[in-house]
Each structure stands twice: as C-alpha cells, then as structure tokens.
Amino acid sequence: MLPRSTLAIVGKSQATRDVQQLVNEALGATHDILAADNVEHLRSLLGGDPLALVTVTVHEDGLAPDHPLLELISEPGFEYTRVMVLTTTPEIAGLDALTDMGRLDMLVFTPAIKAEALLHNIQQQLNRYWYMRGKHDPSIAGTFALPEVTELDVGLTDQEIISRIIKAADMHLGYQPRLTFPPGVYLTKEGHYVEEVIFALSGQVLLQRFTDAGDIVMHHASTGHVIGLLALASNRVGFFTARTTTEVVAVQLPTEQVDYLIRQEPELARLFNILFVRSYDRRLRRAEDIQIEQHELTAQLEDERARLTAALRNLEAARRELMSQARFASLGELAAGVAHELNNPMAAIERTAAHLAEDVEGLIASSPNRRWRDATSHALEAARSSHAVSTKEARALRRELTEVTGDRALAQRWVLAGLHDAEFAKQVRANRKLEYETVEHAASIGTALRNLSTASTRITQLVASLRAYARPDGDPVTDVDLHQSIEDTLQLIAHKLRGVEVKRDFAELPHVTCTPGQIAQVWTNLISNAAEAIEESGKGSTITIRTCAPKPGWVRVEVIDDGPGIPLERIDKLFEPRFTTKNGEVRFGMGIGLSICRGIVSAHHGTIELTSSTNGTCATVGLPIDGPHTHDEGDTP
C-alpha cells in the first residue's frame, strides 16, 4: 500500500482533461489529484506539499528550452518527482532537455491510451517515487511496496538457474552424466560448428580468439557457466574458442535436447533468455573495459612516445654539446700552441722596438745642431706619447697649424703624425735651419714606434688571455684576480663588442680560489649573450659589469645589459642543455651553453641566476672566495 501522494495533471486540452477524469475516478480516493492549467497555476495549488508525479501535455514540438516545468523539477524538493509526458502526436521532438536531466520517466500517446495500462504505470511511477525517497529518508522506508521487478530479474544466480535446467533435463531426458574435464580441453573452437550447450557446474573456462599475432584471451572471469549458448543465435558457428583452465565438471546437452526441454517446460525459455542476457551483459561489460583499457594504454603510449621524443631531443642536444665541448677542447689545445709560438717572437718584437727607439734617440742626439736636435727629439717624443683626438679637436688643430704653416695639407699630416702643439710649429717656422718636413719625418718615426709598441702590447695581452683558455680544466689556482679575468675576456671578445659600450663598476674584491679557464668561459658566455641580444634586437647599447663582496667569504659579479630582455616563460628553460632563443639555431663559438655555465659555477660551489624585464637582463654569479682546491673537488656535473 502506497502512502497518500500528490499527483498533478497539467494542461487545458481535451486530451489532458480526459486523463484528469480517468485518474481522478481511479485514484482520487487514495491520492490528491491536482488539475492545473499551467505550471504557475500548479505552484499556487501545491503550497509547499511534495509532488509525487506530474504530467504535461505536449505536441510535436515538445517542450521549449525555457519551459517552466524544467525550472520547477530542478528546484529543491522536486528531485524525486516523476515526470510523465502526454503527447498528442505519434512522433515528437523537443524533449532533449528533459532527457538530458534524466527526468523523462514515461511517454504516453494520448489517442491510444489504455486505461488499465495507464493506471498500472502511474502506480509503478508512484512506487519509484517513494522508493527513491526512501533511499534517502530511512524514516519512510518500508511504508510502501517496492517497484516491480523485470521479467529478466528472477532473483536467482546463474548456478541456481542451471540447477533448475539440469533438474528438468534429468526428469524429461533421464539422468545426464556429469563430465569431468582436465585443464587444457577445447570445449568449442572458433569457426567450427557448435552442436551442444555445455553447462559448467564448477571450474573455470576461458574464451580466446586466434589472430596472426597469436592467441588473445577475450574472457575468463566474464565467461560465465554456459558454453555454446551464444552460438545458437549465430548459425551455430563458434565465435570463440572455449578452453578449460581448471578441472571442470559439466553437463552437455545437444541443441535438439534443449529445444525438447523448452517444449516440455516453456518456463525454461525464460531462464535460457536470462542466462543469454547475463552472459552477453558480462562479455559486453568486459569488452567495454577492454576498450577503456585500450584508450588508457594508448594515452600512456602517447605520453611515453612524447617522453621518448623529448629524451631523443635531449640526447641530440647532449651530443651537440659534447661536440661543442670537443671543439672547445681543440680550441684550447690550439690556443696553447698559438700562445707558445707567439710568445717568443712577440718578446723579440718588443725588445727590437725598444732598441730601435733608443737607436733613433741616439742618432738624433749625435747631431751637432742643438736646435735641430731639440726640435726632432721633441717631435719624436710628442708623436710617441700622443693620444687620439676627436674629429672636432682634429678640425681645430688643423686650423691652428694652417695659420702657422700656411699649408693646409702639411697641417693635416702633422695632426695625423701626432703633432698637436701650435707653439712648437711657430718655433720650427722661426728656425731657418729646420724644415717642417724634417720635423714631420721625426714625428712619423715616433708614431710608428708608438703603433709598434701598442700592437705588440695588444698581442701580448691576447696571448696571456689565450693561455687562460688553454687549459680550462686544470687544477684550481689560488689568488686569482677576477677583475683581471674579466679584462682578459673583454680582450678576447673585443670584436663582438663593437658598437657596445662596456661600463665597469668594480668594487675592491679579494682574490679567489678557482679554475681560471672555466671561470673565464662563464664571463665569455654571459658577455657574448648580452652583446648578441643588443646587436640582434637593435635595442640598447650598454653592458655594465658590476662586482661587489655582498657578504664575508663571497664575491658577486653581475653582467647587465639594456637590451630587449627575455620572456619570463623562457628564463627557467635557458639553463636546459642547448636551449637557445636565437630562432632555434645552435651556435658554436667562443661562448658555451648556460647549462655548462651553471655546471661550472656549481662545481665552484657558487650560484648563478637570471632576472629579466623589458629594460634588459641581469646575470648574477656568486662565488665563494675559498673555492675548490682540487680538480676532482670542482668537477663540473
């Protein structure tokens, strides 16, 4: 017996009124039947009472997406309300929203209503309403009848159904022998004709398919206890190969005997149908599980493939990195040889330049003419010690010398020779025994000596810098001057710094223990990267190198550029092997990757970090003063 329930019949059509009358006459004594013109009218009639069932009448267009009924059943208190749709047409659309909500509980074609069936279905819908409410409200559980079970739900297990079938077979066909099969017996074979149905009373049977890749197990736990039943619906041709995996006790019935039993006891047809549906359901669920597993495995394989692809890229980058390091090692050996070969000739050139200067001075000093001797000696020394002048200064000097000498071309040559003193030119003009050309030749000799000394000094400095690179992996050296290390680097990469102003903001630093060649590689990379960023972007013009001692026992070097900066999402990736922001191009040269820089700095127990904005980038290197004292201690990772 159901508790008293509230039912609402919504609508004004004649079909709706017919249903109202039918339901009211049949159920009005035991339930509250509400007749409402529309949903708003229904709200006013309810007054807060729970609604067990509501009907709504629709035509071929169904319910509009904004129909008030959809809003009503979405509200709290109406989550269990059953919805019955009455349609006046045999074909209908527009119920998709109701279906998506899972609330289309019953559909009735009003011109073909069967009163008895309609009332029975309404009773069942009320049963479901109270059953769903009872599941969430134990206080009303047991006050109503449970919903009817389906014809395929008999409340028996597969083994109980098989026992009933075997009992019927023993009664109508005589006792059926129980067969015992050891593991490994083929009960049916794929593609072969199936003439018997085998009922497994105990044991396990697997179902497999033969493929070019080998035998594939399709079902084991999902096989069930009846073998050959599905073949009865597929022209008796076996779809699977059935093989025992444990000892199996079974009863075998030819298909003709199965037909005979069904004729004797028609109720057995229902039991066979239940076994058939259950078997199909288990295998279908297993097939769905396999499909999900296949999808998951495919996704895992895609992830593995992506990881393998990334690993391959990393390996290729590592290979290029090793090639770069090998080239760099070759460059170091070459630098060592070049430095050794250049060292002695350059020492000879420097000595020769010094002797030549002394000889020229001695030659001038041997002249008996004191004025000539003083003038040429002054011109020689003035040219040797002269410095470069700006274009504006050179123009002013030319005007002054032209006024003295009266020769614009001569004035130009004097300026180029390093003679910038107009008073000296007046003294030469006043000396009748001294010509401008003689002073010019003396100045040219001085300029040549100055250029020779400058060039030899420059080459000597480059050789010294190359020596620092020659053995980057040598043992650490104490008492290393980082400022000199930076200056050596600037000497080596001067060709990359054309058009870039390098500012030095050096504090007083203690000398450190490090591997000079490795640390020089770090400066080379950081300064080269800054210069390339400025050159390639066209933004910025200055690199500032700042040093300080932020705390006892530590020094800090900052390389700051005013270039375009690096996007934040790329900062962390810059320390990956061979990551580059240069359009994917991997460049080999004096610089090395930032990953190697970090390895070198880490091996020296230091730190390296990058910060960047649209105003430029700052690379900060921190090093302990007391670094690694052996090569093994400072091995780069």
Side-chain angles (χ1 to χ4, degrees), residues 212-226:
D212 293 338
D215 300 342
I216 300 178
V217 176
M218 305 300 295
H219 301 282
H220 197 189
S222 56
T223 298
H225 299 280
V226 184

Side-chain angles (χ1 to χ4, degrees), residues 9-83:
I9 314 298
V10 179
K12 296 187 294 184
S13 67
Q14 185 59 46
T16 304
R17 297 185 185 281
D18 292 343
V19 172
Q20 289 174 356
Q21 181 179 355
L22 175 64
V23 173
N24 195 50
E25 291 176 355
L27 303 177
T30 54
H31 300 288
D32 296 326
I33 312 300
L34 303 179
D37 294 341
N38 50 49
V39 173
E40 292 303 319
H41 184 201
L42 172 61
R43 286 182 182 274
S44 64
L45 295 176
L46 282 173
D49 293 333
L51 181 63
L53 182 144
V54 59
T55 73
V56 60
T57 303
V58 300
H59 306 291
E60 61 184 7
D61 293 333
L63 295 175
D66 58 349
H67 195 283
L69 178 66
L70 301 177
E71 180 182 354
L72 175 71
I73 62 177
S74 299
E75 296 174 2
F78 295 92
E79 55 266 37
Y80 307 122
T81 300
R82 311 300 293 182
V83 179

Side-chain angles (χ1 to χ4, degrees), residues 268-282:
L268 293 179
R270 179 171 173 239
L271 298 181
F272 274 107
N273 286 336
I274 293 172
L275 288 176
F276 183 92
V277 171
R278 288 181 180 178
S279 177
Y280 183 78
D281 176 68
R282 278 192 295 267

Side-chain angles (χ1 to χ4, degrees), residues 26-223:
L27 303 177
T30 54
H31 300 288
D32 296 326
I33 312 300
L34 303 179
D37 294 341
N38 50 49
V39 173
E40 292 303 319
H41 184 201
L42 172 61
R43 286 182 182 274
S44 64
L45 295 176
L46 282 173
D49 293 333
L51 181 63
L53 182 144
V54 59
T55 73
V56 60
T57 303
V58 300
H59 306 291
E60 61 184 7
D61 293 333
L63 295 175
D66 58 349
H67 195 283
L69 178 66
L70 301 177
E71 180 182 354
L72 175 71
I73 62 177
S74 299
E75 296 174 2
F78 295 92
E79 55 266 37
Y80 307 122
T81 300
R82 311 300 293 182
V83 179
M84 179 182 293
V85 175
L86 308 177
T87 173
T88 59
T89 59
E91 295 183 1
I92 185 174
L95 298 182
D96 43 300
L98 196 62
T99 304
D100 283 342
M101 297 170 65
R103 303 299 295 274
L104 179 58
D105 298 313
M106 189 170 175
L107 186 62
V108 176
F109 180 44
T110 55
I113 284 180
K114 305 294 184 183
E116 183 179 353
L118 176 64
L119 294 173
H120 175 77
N121 288 330
I122 290 176
Q123 290 280 8
Q124 291 306 310
Q125 292 297 325
L126 293 176
N127 276 341
R128 291 182 181 277
Y129 167 77
W130 288 105
Y131 174 73
M132 294 304 297
R133 278 192 61 183
K135 288 178 65 176
H136 298 86
D137 185 0
S139 64
I140 63 173
T143 62
F144 51 86
L146 294 176
E148 292 181 357
V149 298
T150 65
E151 289 296 319
L152 294 178
D153 188 1
V154 294
L156 300 175
T157 65
D158 285 4
Q159 288 288 15
E160 290 172 338
I161 293 175
I162 290 173
S163 295
R164 291 185 59 177
I165 293 174
I166 299 303
K167 183 178 179 181
D170 289 341
M171 181 176 66
H172 294 290
L173 302 173
Y175 182 77
Q176 300 300 304
R178 274 54 170 172
L179 299 173
T180 299
F181 298 107
V185 175
Y186 290 92
L187 304 181
T188 63
K189 290 187 177 181
E190 177 185 343
H192 288 211
Y193 196 71
V194 178
E195 297 181 342
E196 304 86 9
V197 177
I198 299 173
F199 299 91
L201 306 180
S202 64
Q204 294 290 325
V205 179
L206 67 76
L207 303 180
Q208 63 186 30
R209 295 291 305 273
F210 297 129
T211 68
D212 293 338
D215 300 342
I216 300 178
V217 176
M218 305 300 295
H219 301 282
H220 197 189
S222 56
T223 298

Side-chain angles (χ1 to χ4, degrees), residues 260-551:
Y260 177 77
L261 286 177
I262 292 174
R263 288 195 298 271
Q264 297 300 314
E265 293 191 26
E267 174 65 16
L268 293 179
R270 179 171 173 239
L271 298 181
F272 274 107
N273 286 336
I274 293 172
L275 288 176
F276 183 92
V277 171
R278 288 181 180 178
S279 177
Y280 183 78
D281 176 68
R282 278 192 295 267
R283 296 176 189 180
L284 181 60
R285 290 175 185 271
R286 172 57 183 157
E288 295 297 328
D289 289 341
I290 291 175
Q291 184 72 13
I292 293 173
E293 291 173 4
Q294 180 183 4
H295 179 78
E296 292 175 345
L297 287 174
T298 301
Q300 292 175 8
L301 286 174
E302 285 297 318
D303 290 342
E304 289 295 331
R305 187 184 68 81
R307 282 194 288 268
L308 287 174
T309 301
L312 182 61
R313 285 197 299 265
N314 290 337
L315 285 174
E316 180 62 21
R319 184 186 69 83
R320 293 195 298 265
E321 193 71 48
L322 289 173
M323 290 175 58
S324 176
Q325 293 183 45
R327 294 182 185 185
F328 202 84
S330 299
L331 177 61
E333 295 176 2
L334 178 62
V338 170
H340 178 74
E341 293 297 328
L342 288 178
N343 194 46
N344 292 333
M346 286 313 304
I349 291 174
E350 287 182 334
R351 289 194 300 271
T352 300
H355 293 324
L356 182 59
E358 293 174 358
D359 291 343
V360 171
E361 290 173 353
L363 183 61
I364 293 174
S366 65
S367 173
N369 187 326
R370 183 181 61 82
R371 291 187 177 181
W372 184 92
R373 183 174 66 242
D374 292 343
T376 54
S377 179
H378 178 81
L380 179 68
E381 288 302 319
R384 288 181 64 185
S385 60
S386 67
H387 60 277
V389 295
S390 66
T391 303
K392 181 179 180 181
E393 291 172 333
R395 190 179 302 114
L397 289 172
R398 282 199 303 272
R399 283 198 300 267
E400 291 182 14
L401 293 175
T402 301
E403 291 176 0
V404 175
T405 63
D407 187 339
R408 181 179 179 82
L410 176 63
Q412 173 70 13
R413 292 197 300 272
W414 272 44
V415 172
L416 294 177
L419 295 175
H420 304 157
D421 190 355
E423 291 300 324
F424 177 65
K426 292 178 181 179
Q427 294 175 12
V428 174
R429 182 182 63 183
N431 192 341
R432 297 178 180 179
K433 295 184 179 182
L434 188 62
E435 297 180 352
Y436 288 120
E437 286 76 7
T438 301
V439 175
E440 182 184 344
H441 290 322
S444 297
I445 294 173
T447 300
L449 289 172
R450 183 194 67 204
N451 291 341
L452 183 60
S453 177
T454 302
S456 63
T457 300
R458 168 68 173 160
I459 295 175
T460 300
Q461 291 173 343
L462 287 175
V463 168
S465 299
L466 282 173
R467 282 178 174 174
Y469 275 83
R471 297 187 180 277
D473 294 327
D475 285 333
V477 177
T478 59
D479 201 34
V480 174
D481 184 351
L482 289 185
H483 290 159
Q484 186 58 51
S485 174
I486 294 171
E487 292 295 345
D488 288 343
T489 298
L490 293 173
Q491 289 278 350
L492 278 176
I493 63 173
H495 63 286
K496 287 190 173 184
L497 301 176
R498 296 189 182 99
V500 176
E501 179 185 2
V502 178
K503 293 183 178 180
R504 297 163 176 81
D505 184 6
F506 290 171
E508 291 188 10
L509 293 184
H511 290 187
V512 303
T513 298
C514 66
T515 304
Q518 291 184 354
I519 293 299
Q521 291 179 27
V522 175
W523 309 146
T524 299
N525 186 74
L526 298 181
I527 298 172
S528 296
N529 283 349
E532 289 175 359
I534 291 173
E535 178 186 358
E536 294 176 2
S537 67
K539 177 183 178 182
S541 62
T542 303
I543 296 175
T544 302
I545 303 174
R546 179 180 298 135
T547 65
C548 65
K551 58 184 179 180

